[in-house]
Amino acid sequence: KKNQKKNQKKKTKKNQTKKTHISGIYISPGYNNPKPKLYSMTDQKSKISHLKAPPDEKQVKVVILPGNGCYPVDDSNWYSAVASQLRAKGIKCVLENMPDPNKARESIWIPFIEKKLEADAHTILVGHSSGAEAGMRYAESRQLKGLILVSACHTDLGVENERQAGYYSRPWEWKKIKENCEWIIQFASDNDPFIPEKEMLHVAKNLETEYHCLKGRGHFLSWQMPEIAEIIQEKLDA
């Protein structure tokens, strides 16, 4: 009988100290405590939340904005080649067909760049021709990591289709563009058949760009433009 009582006491103590979990709530039997404590799973999570590692810094991405008439973008000029070069370097690159590809109207492109392509302060915009103008207007009111302009101009050049695009309907806010970009790089050519050199130099002067004038590259309609991936890598490594 004594042994039975001892075994019974041990069993009772063991049951008293046993912890149970019921439907996400931890119940402490409260040994020698008439009022058990209840801890919700939310409470327990809050206690360990400070132990979690901080989230990684948002990854920089590159968004390529094509010139008007460039559709599909994967089969136009150097866009796909540059996207592949950047991805090979581990740099995220977004290259998508733009809506209204022939007129490239500001009223359609700017909302698309913001809502669909999600260009933000961690984004490097690469704009070619009409895409360069879209990039500049976008940067007037939104922050960017960087802005690369290829064959950029600041007037409609007397072309009706360009006038209808809407980018040239008001003065450019050069100061705001500079303030919203960490850096701005510009590529021009000495024999561009569409953009006069004075147009590109006007942009360079007002934005104080890092200006690169390449010989014999025309309107940059070739299948390759390795300078872009190289200079982006340099900026990210700096």
Side-chain angles (χ1 to χ4, degrees), residues 35 50 60 63 92 95 145 178 188 196:
K35 293 183 179 180
H50 68 282
V60 172
V63 172
K92 183 178 180 180
L95 175 62
K145 177 74 175 176
K178 289 189 290 183

Side-chain angles (χ1 to χ4, degrees), residues 29 133 183 192 208:
E133 281 73 81
W183 46 263
D192 192 316
E208 299 176 335

Side-chain angles (χ1 to χ4, degrees), residues 54-126:
D56 293 333
E57 185 180 346
K58 190 173 180 181
Q59 183 185 8
V60 172
K61 72 177 178 182
V62 176
V63 172
I64 298 176
L65 304 178
N68 61 4
C70 296
Y71 182 91
V73 290
D74 283 333
D75 195 31
S76 299
N77 305 320
W78 40 265
Y79 312 141
S80 184
V82 170
S84 296
Q85 290 161 5
L86 290 169
R87 291 165 186 158
K89 295 175 180 290
I91 302 170
K92 183 178 180 180
C93 183
V94 177
L95 175 62
E96 292 193 18
N97 288 320
M98 301 294 288
D100 191 39
N102 292 324
K103 290 188 176 180
R105 282 171 289 189
E106 179 184 2
S107 60
I108 297 175
W109 275 33
I110 297 301
F112 184 81
I113 296 168
E114 181 176 36
K115 297 176 182 178
K116 177 66 175 177
L117 305 183
E118 299 181 331
D120 57 20
H122 301 275
T123 301
I124 298 171
L125 277 187
V126 178

Side-chain angles (χ1 to χ4, degrees), residues 33 41 68 73 79 91 149 169 171 224 229:
N33 187 346
M41 294 302 290
N68 61 4
V73 290
Y79 312 141
I91 302 170
L149 307 172
S169 62
Q224 298 289 332

Side-chain angles (χ1 to χ4, degrees), residues 20-27 38-49 52:
T20 57
H21 292 267
I22 302 174
S23 300
I25 298 177
Y26 165 67
I27 301 177
L38 302 181
Y39 297 91
S40 70
M41 294 302 290
T42 303
D43 292 334
Q44 292 197 36
K45 286 179 181 178
S46 66
K47 288 180 180 180
I48 63 172
S49 62
K52 294 180 180 179

Side-chain angles (χ1 to χ4, degrees), residues 1-221:
K1 286 184 178 179
K2 286 182 180 179
N3 289 335
Q4 285 177 352
K5 286 181 179 179
K6 286 181 179 179
N7 290 335
Q8 193 173 1
K9 285 181 180 178
K10 288 180 180 178
K11 193 173 182 181
T12 302
K13 282 188 176 182
K14 189 175 182 182
N15 288 336
Q16 285 177 328
T17 57
K18 187 177 180 181
K19 299 175 182 178
T20 57
H21 292 267
I22 302 174
S23 300
I25 298 177
Y26 165 67
I27 301 177
S28 172
Y31 183 61
N32 290 331
N33 187 346
K35 293 183 179 180
K37 292 183 178 180
L38 302 181
Y39 297 91
S40 70
M41 294 302 290
T42 303
D43 292 334
Q44 292 197 36
K45 286 179 181 178
S46 66
K47 288 180 180 180
I48 63 172
S49 62
H50 68 282
L51 299 176
K52 294 180 180 179
D56 293 333
E57 185 180 346
K58 190 173 180 181
Q59 183 185 8
V60 172
K61 72 177 178 182
V62 176
V63 172
I64 298 176
L65 304 178
N68 61 4
C70 296
Y71 182 91
V73 290
D74 283 333
D75 195 31
S76 299
N77 305 320
W78 40 265
Y79 312 141
S80 184
V82 170
S84 296
Q85 290 161 5
L86 290 169
R87 291 165 186 158
K89 295 175 180 290
I91 302 170
K92 183 178 180 180
C93 183
V94 177
L95 175 62
E96 292 193 18
N97 288 320
M98 301 294 288
D100 191 39
N102 292 324
K103 290 188 176 180
R105 282 171 289 189
E106 179 184 2
S107 60
I108 297 175
W109 275 33
I110 297 301
F112 184 81
I113 296 168
E114 181 176 36
K115 297 176 182 178
K116 177 66 175 177
L117 305 183
E118 299 181 331
D120 57 20
H122 301 275
T123 301
I124 298 171
L125 277 187
V126 178
H128 174 222
S129 197
S130 293
E133 281 73 81
M136 290 191 293
R137 285 298 186 194
Y138 191 83
E140 286 182 339
S141 57
R142 301 163 183 85
Q143 289 189 333
L144 294 170
K145 177 74 175 176
L147 179 61
I148 297 180
L149 307 172
V150 183
S151 289
C153 62
H154 68 99
T155 72
D156 61 23
L157 303 169
V159 179
E160 181 60 22
N161 189 63
E162 295 294 337
R163 186 191 65 79
Q164 292 177 4
Y167 301 109
Y168 317 100
S169 62
R170 60 201 183 279
W172 291 90
E173 299 187 62
W174 305 114
K175 184 179 179 181
K176 289 184 178 179
I177 298 173
K178 289 189 290 183
E179 290 174 347
N180 285 331
C181 300
E182 291 186 21
W183 46 263
I184 305 175
I185 295 170
Q186 186 178 355
F187 286 101
S189 175
D190 63 348
N191 66 338
D192 192 316
F194 305 118
I195 312 296
E197 187 178 10
K198 64 179 182 180
E199 285 273 330
M200 295 181 278
L201 289 174
H202 183 86
V203 173
K205 179 181 178 181
N206 283 277
L207 290 182
E208 299 176 335
T209 64
E210 181 182 320
Y211 189 83
H212 300 266
C213 185
L214 308 182
K215 292 184 178 181
R217 301 290 285 273
H219 197 57
F220 296 95
L221 301 177

